Amino acid sequence: MTLLITNANQVITLKSTSQTARTGKEMSELHIIENGCVLIEGDRIVAVGSKETLQDQHADLIAHAEVIDATGKVVMPGLVDAHTHLVFGGTRENEFQMRLNGATYMDIMNAGGGIHATTKKTRESSFEHLYEKTYEHLNDFLRHGITTVEAKSGYGLDWETEEKQLQVAKKLQENHVIDVVSTFMGAHAIPSEYKENPDAYVDLIINEMIPKVVEGKLAEFNDVFCEKGVFTPEQSRKILLAGKEHGLIPKIHADEIEPYEGAELAAEVGAISAEHLLVASDQGIRDMAKAGTVAVLLPGTAFFLKAASARGRLMVDEGVPVAISTDFNPGSSPTISLPFIMNLACMNMGMTMEEVLTATTINAAYAINRGQEIGSLEAGKKADVLILNVANYQQLQYFYGMNHTQTVIKNGEVVVDNGVIIDLK
């Protein structure tokens, strides 16, 4: 199929100027084409430019193209959510009530809630239940313009359930139109049965779980929750380096609740990204900038936990490549609305409208090792394209808390039209 999207008020190309995630002032460079067009053939973008230029260069293709009129609208790359805990059992609305009454994240976790509560529900859930529930969540993501989602395990904390989560994500990658990119996170918490001997659980992850993940080709990344009361920097280093030896790319939940040298560790082990970073140190931020580690910031989590946000403005100014994601999970960020998360990044982290667009497209793509394929509208890249019902990109943040997605094109096919999913095959 050949598609021509034409007459857009603005085509936000986010055309890459390098082969790495953007930093500093580059994060404000949207490379906008006024009254622009996008030509697609099959699952790839053929050209982006003015109607006259495309007509001169690709007249034969355009003659047989299906035309989508984007008059008065904005066209941009599909959004990339680079940090989710997509597959889980149960919900935890009771904990939200507890927080409203003054309980902290660690208070709830120490009382048997938090990750442990979801672990229990996920262990009890069948593969089929998890698959069907997660499929519907992906539909919600799609309607909000998200075309690629990272999915972490970590609600099993035993091999049987970790594998179940990863297998669900793998089947969804095969069957759902959204691309699902898997991360193994057996090191999400110390399971209750290893509470008195956490190093034994670290050994289990390293010696048994990681080799099985790699053997089954179940994940591309290996993540760990480096936090006081969870995994120490020394334990985290061992887990990440062991995964790296087996070919899993390191990621790290770092400095979310207390400063714990997680950002420094991310830079040290060559992590592709460090996530959360609410209380990352100045030194850790500088180390990440030097290493090129992407900071995946999660302003929705801070908002939901009523915590201070990560220092997004400082990180951009210090040269850290910044991405923004939902952290979709049942406890601390139960939302699939990446557009709302973009609003929060502007309002609570001091980032600009331009920077948050970069942070949810090309930089988010690099945070999951997909920057060469998605995240910008360029010839040769995958045709993951949004048509938004706004007149210019500033209105995306001006009209906050709203879903402006009208049309979603995934792999060159229209899959959402007027907000309605029309084809998932």
Side-chain angles (χ1 to χ4, degrees), residues 178-311:
I178 287 181
D179 284 324
V180 179
V181 179
S182 287
T183 295
F184 169 62
M185 198 178 178
H188 197 192
I190 304 294
S192 55
E193 55 266 36
Y194 285 90
K195 187 175 181 180
E196 302 304 319
N197 190 7
D199 284 336
Y201 183 61
V202 172
D203 290 341
L204 180 69
I205 292 171
I206 291 172
N207 297 324
E208 297 188 28
M209 292 191 186
I210 287 174
K212 289 178 179 178
V213 169
V214 173
E215 181 181 2
K217 298 180 180 179
L218 296 175
E220 183 175 344
F221 304 97
N222 179 36
D223 202 341
V224 60
F225 191 3
C226 181
E227 184 66 54
K228 285 186 179 179
V230 192
F231 294 91
T232 68
E234 293 75 20
Q235 291 169 333
S236 299
R237 182 182 293 104
K238 286 178 63 176
I239 291 168
L240 294 175
L241 291 179
K244 200 171 181 180
E245 288 176 3
H246 282 81
L248 297 178
I249 301 170
K251 286 179 171 283
I252 181 170
H253 281 50
D255 303 318
E256 178 183 2
I257 300 169
E258 296 187 42
Y260 208 41
E261 299 184 355
E264 292 90 331
L265 179 59
E268 175 194 329
V269 302
I272 194 170
S273 66
E275 337 256 310
H276 287 288
L277 300 166
L278 271 66
V279 290
S281 70
D282 291 349
Q283 185 60 52
I285 291 170
R286 289 191 292 268
D287 289 351
M288 286 179 58
K290 186 176 181 180
T293 302
V294 179
V296 180
L297 305 183
L298 312 167
T301 307
F303 172 77
F304 199 68
L305 296 178
K306 299 194 293 185
S309 296
R311 295 184 290 170

Side-chain angles (χ1 to χ4, degrees), residues 128-423:
E128 292 73 19
H129 173 75
L130 291 174
Y131 177 86
E132 291 170 5
K133 175 182 178 180
T134 309
Y135 195 99
E136 290 304 314
H137 286 318
L138 285 177
N139 286 350
D140 289 336
F141 275 108
L142 190 63
R143 281 187 283 262
H144 282 76
I146 294 93
T147 52
T148 301
V149 172
E150 184 255 17
K152 303 179 191 293
S153 68
Y155 289 130
L157 309 183
D158 60 25
W159 173 243
E160 180 182 4
T161 315
E162 291 291 315
E163 182 186 27
K164 181 169 61 176
Q165 284 187 271
L166 292 169
Q167 290 287 5
V168 167
K170 184 176 183 179
K171 186 175 180 181
L172 288 165
Q173 162 62 14
E174 295 168 354
N175 293 345
H176 200 284
V177 67
I178 287 181
D179 284 324
V180 179
V181 179
S182 287
T183 295
F184 169 62
M185 198 178 178
H188 197 192
I190 304 294
S192 55
E193 55 266 36
Y194 285 90
K195 187 175 181 180
E196 302 304 319
N197 190 7
D199 284 336
Y201 183 61
V202 172
D203 290 341
L204 180 69
I205 292 171
I206 291 172
N207 297 324
E208 297 188 28
M209 292 191 186
I210 287 174
K212 289 178 179 178
V213 169
V214 173
E215 181 181 2
K217 298 180 180 179
L218 296 175
E220 183 175 344
F221 304 97
N222 179 36
D223 202 341
V224 60
F225 191 3
C226 181
E227 184 66 54
K228 285 186 179 179
V230 192
F231 294 91
T232 68
E234 293 75 20
Q235 291 169 333
S236 299
R237 182 182 293 104
K238 286 178 63 176
I239 291 168
L240 294 175
L241 291 179
K244 200 171 181 180
E245 288 176 3
H246 282 81
L248 297 178
I249 301 170
K251 286 179 171 283
I252 181 170
H253 281 50
D255 303 318
E256 178 183 2
I257 300 169
E258 296 187 42
Y260 208 41
E261 299 184 355
E264 292 90 331
L265 179 59
E268 175 194 329
V269 302
I272 194 170
S273 66
E275 337 256 310
H276 287 288
L277 300 166
L278 271 66
V279 290
S281 70
D282 291 349
Q283 185 60 52
I285 291 170
R286 289 191 292 268
D287 289 351
M288 286 179 58
K290 186 176 181 180
T293 302
V294 179
V296 180
L297 305 183
L298 312 167
T301 307
F303 172 77
F304 199 68
L305 296 178
K306 299 194 293 185
S309 296
R311 295 184 290 170
R313 175 76 269 137
L314 176 66
M315 293 182 198
V316 173
D317 292 343
E318 289 290 328
V320 178
V322 172
I324 297 167
S325 297
T326 61
D327 189 22
F328 174 60
N329 74 80
S332 60
S333 191
T335 182
I336 52 79
S337 180
L338 191 52
F340 177 58
I341 299 304
M342 295 160 70
N343 301 147
L344 290 180
C346 288
M347 293 186 284
N348 293 345
M349 297 200 310
M351 294 179 66
T352 68
M353 297 179 182
E354 296 81 7
E355 289 164 351
V356 299
L357 286 172
T358 297
T360 50
T361 53
I362 190 65
N363 275 13
Y366 274 109
I368 56 170
N369 202 30
R370 297 293 189 278
Q372 304 303 314
E373 279 283 295
I374 59 174
S376 61
L377 302 182
E378 299 181 74
K381 282 198 166 184
K382 289 180 68 171
D384 294 356
V385 186
L386 307 182
I387 302 175
L388 305 173
N389 195 24
V390 290
N392 56 66
Y393 75 87
Q394 292 98 332
Q395 289 186 354
L396 292 172
Q397 307 312 321
Y398 173 69
F399 293 112
Y400 74 92
M402 300 167 63
N403 180 18
H404 300 289
T405 305
Q406 175 179 295
T407 302
V408 179
I409 297 167
K410 177 64 181 174
N411 295 326
E413 296 187 7
V414 177
V415 294
V416 174
D417 188 30
N418 288 318
V420 177
I421 296 174
I422 60 173
D423 183 16

Side-chain angles (χ1 to χ4, degrees), residues 66-85:
E66 177 181 333
V67 177
I68 299 176
D69 188 356
T71 298
K73 305 186 188 307
V74 168
V75 173
M76 66 171 287
L79 297 174
V80 179
D81 197 331
H83 180 127
T84 82
H85 298 264

